[in-house]
Amino acid sequence: LGELEVPATFFCIGRNLGRHVELAARAHREGHTLGNHSFCHQRFASLPRAAQLQEVEQTDRLLQEVTGKRVHPFRAPQGNWSAGLLIGLMSRGIQCVHWSFDSLDYKKQPTMEFIQRMKATSLVSGDVMLFHDDGELCVDALRELVPWWRAQGITFAALPQ
């Protein structure tokens, strides 16, 4: 993303921050927004609300060491939201974020098929695109897709820090 000059929001899993704190700090220094994606990435639908909020608060404390901010935008694991979770987060001043476009990159489609599917999708500036950083698929695909999207008039931005 740095090579492509694309700002992004990285929703971090707390248990991974300890192993990758310098990478998170670098992303923050480079202008990317760091968000909260829970501590353990468990299925939130199976956790009591108090445990869900504890996962968020634990990760926010770790993120605070990197960003200096007390709260961070939150994206629920697997996109599982409940009214109670939303109320609990909003009462703490935490921005709740969901995607408007899921790349389905977790299906590990061959890169060229993935690229063709993405090009056939109608995107607009302002869409919140969901991608994962757990493999080379997105890295390889975005090298081709970002210039193509820009040619289509798409602009890129991270969530406000």
Side-chain angles (χ1 to χ4, degrees):
L1 295 174
E3 293 171 17
L4 296 167
E5 297 179 3
V6 172
T9 301
F10 291 95
F11 287 94
C12 304
I13 297 170
R15 71 173 178 217
N16 295 337
L17 279 171
R19 293 187 311 247
H20 303 289
V21 71
E22 183 48 42
L23 182 59
R26 175 181 160 204
H28 180 67
R29 279 191 312 271
E30 291 178 3
H32 300 290
T33 298
L34 298 184
N36 184 328
H37 195 38
S38 80
F39 188 79
C40 293
H41 199 269
Q42 297 183 55
R43 291 204 174 277
F44 262 36
S46 66
L47 292 177
R49 185 176 59 215
Q52 293 172 350
L53 294 171
Q54 183 179 10
E55 288 256 331
V56 174
E57 291 167 353
Q58 187 176 5
T59 301
D60 264 344
R61 284 191 297 274
L62 294 170
L63 285 167
Q64 184 176 12
E65 295 175 17
V66 175
T67 68
K69 297 178 189 263
R70 188 181 61 78
V71 297
H72 301 82
F74 176 76
R75 183 171 73 78
Q78 300 88 34
N80 288 322
W81 300 96
S82 68
L85 176 60
L86 290 167
I87 291 167
L89 293 168
M90 288 187 279
S91 70
R92 289 165 171 76
I94 296 173
Q95 178 186 15
C96 304
V97 179
H98 197 74
W99 60 85
S100 58
F101 173 77
D102 184 352
S103 72
L104 304 175
D105 60 343
Y106 62 87
K107 292 185 175 185
K108 306 299 183 195
Q109 189 175 19
T111 303
M112 288 313 299
E113 288 178 29
F114 180 81
I115 290 169
Q116 291 308 313
R117 185 171 54 79
M118 293 294 98
K119 286 182 175 182
T121 303
S122 296
L123 295 174
V124 296
S125 296
D127 273 336
V128 176
M129 297 187 284
L130 172 63
F131 289 91
H132 296 85
D133 63 356
D134 59 352
E136 294 299 313
L137 173 62
C138 288
V139 172
D140 295 337
L142 289 173
R143 283 191 176 109
E144 182 168 334
L145 288 169
V146 167
W148 189 83
W149 281 327
R150 280 194 172 121
Q152 308 305 306
I154 302 290
T155 58
F156 300 91
L159 292 173
Q161 292 195 43

